[in-house]
Amino acid sequence: MKLIEEIGELRERFQVESAGVGDREALERLRIAYLGRKGAISMLFSRMRDIDAGQRGAFGKALNELKIHAVKRLDELKAELGEDAPAQEVIDLTLPGRRDFIGGRHPLTTIMDEIIDIFRGMGFTVETGPEVETVYYNFDALNTPQWHPARDMTDTFYLDVPGGKPLEWLLRTETSPVQIRVMERQKPPIRIIAPGRVYRNDKPDASHSPIFMQVEGLYVDRGVTMADLKGTVLAFYRAVFGPDTDTRFRPHFFPFTEPSAEVDVTCVFCKGEGCRVCKQTGWLEMGGSGMVDPNVLEGVGIDPEVYSGWAFGLGVERIAMLKYGVDDIRLFYENDLRFLGQFG
Ligand code: DAH
């Protein structure tokens, strides 16, 4: 067959095959079959040299026309099939899904709810009080003497309130003022907890934040003893940290309790063996407690000869840090989604 006829035949074959192209893959196969390095058109070009010099011109022209036609047709088909032809799109069903953090409970809220739940179960009701307090509720009524360091400007955020006296208003430094507010309006028996935010003028570091949370506890009735305090606190910490937890009361001083004690719990990391976190003591300091000072009861009109009571205060972040293994209190207040997302 003459080469020039082969060109005509090839053109017809291309015509038929290109009409059957339905997707990108078939298109690519067609391109390779005709225009690839070893494709049919390319092969004919390589046979140019076998042709008589006299016919070479006509052959070359016909072949070029076919090539141009094929390139154009392939371009058209490509445009017809579109960039993202379905057959081209590969969906890997084995890939894990991508999840966005759509929000969740703050770890402090979760811990706070857990704490409240435990005390509710023991018969305590929940009371709240204002975060903007007066010196009277935050210090005076709590039997805190004028010389007490907590009153210092360096520890307390005092507020300028229109119509208020200087050093009269402040951001409460503890949840203890709620004790006073409750005892002013309610007579024994009183069995409450007061969860909430408190503020101190502390420089932030891994264990200090100018804003943090406490839970106050108060129980006042006839015949309330320190044994009740120890039993309640032990039951609470066992509920939080597990049944193997023990507590230890160390003598301390708080203006509003007498006697006062600091409460330690068995180190949650070494279970009392002694480790770096508990500084080899086996104990972790958790908060303060004591028997309500008779002066405090008298101040709110409760007769200390008839009634007695105990109180405690604990830090919520401290519990959250121990339970979740968080080593920097500031993380709770920075609202970094990489941190919060771990609790969602
Ligand atoms: N208010 C104390 C503080 O912030 C904690 C505290 C200690 C509260 C002893 C009490 C208590 O109710 O009895 O450091």
Side-chain angles (χ1 to χ4, degrees), residues 21-22 39 53 65 86 99 103 115 133 136 142 159 183-184 207 340:
V21 166
E65 272 168 18
R99 273 176 207 223
I115 294 170
E133 263 295 6
Y136 175 77
L142 286 161
L159 301 171
M183 288 191 287
E184 274 181 349
S207 51
L340 296 178

Side-chain angles (χ1 to χ4, degrees), residues 3 6-7 10-11 13-14 29-51 59-60 62-68 70-71 74:
L3 280 174
E6 273 187 49
I7 292 174
L10 195 58
R11 189 185 185 109
R13 218 169 76 215
F14 177 78
R29 277 199 304 274
L30 185 70
R31 190 190 65 76
I32 291 166
Y34 285 85
L35 294 169
R37 214 156 40 81
K38 291 195 173 139
I41 293 174
S42 312
M43 293 314 275
L44 280 182
F45 270 112
S46 66
R47 284 164 67 185
M48 286 263 278
R49 63 182 113 82
D50 304 334
I51 295 171
F59 175 80
L63 193 52
N64 248 331
E65 272 168 18
L66 173 59
K67 186 183 173 180
I68 289 164
V71 168
L74 287 169

Side-chain angles (χ1 to χ4, degrees), residues 246-289:
D246 269 316
T247 52
R248 176 175 84 164
F249 285 66
R250 271 182 298 106
H252 199 74
F253 172 79
F254 294 103
F256 30 88
T257 44
E258 183 58 36
S260 304
E262 275 194 318
V263 182
D264 295 346
V265 301
T266 316
C267 176
V268 300
F269 296 105
C270 64
K271 303 286 171 214
E273 294 284 309
C275 68
R276 210 166 43 84
V277 179
C278 61
K279 300 198 183 75
Q280 308 305 328
T281 63
W283 297 98
L284 295 170
E285 189 186 315
M286 298 304 297
S289 68

Side-chain angles (χ1 to χ4, degrees), residues 173-174 176 179 200 214 216-217 254 256-257 288-290 311-313:
T173 60
E174 52 191 4
S176 306
Q179 288 184 29
R200 286 184 198 176
Q214 290 187 330
E216 193 79 12
F254 294 103
F256 30 88
T257 44
S289 68
F312 65 80

Side-chain angles (χ1 to χ4, degrees), residues 53 111 168:
I111 287 286
E168 185 186 10

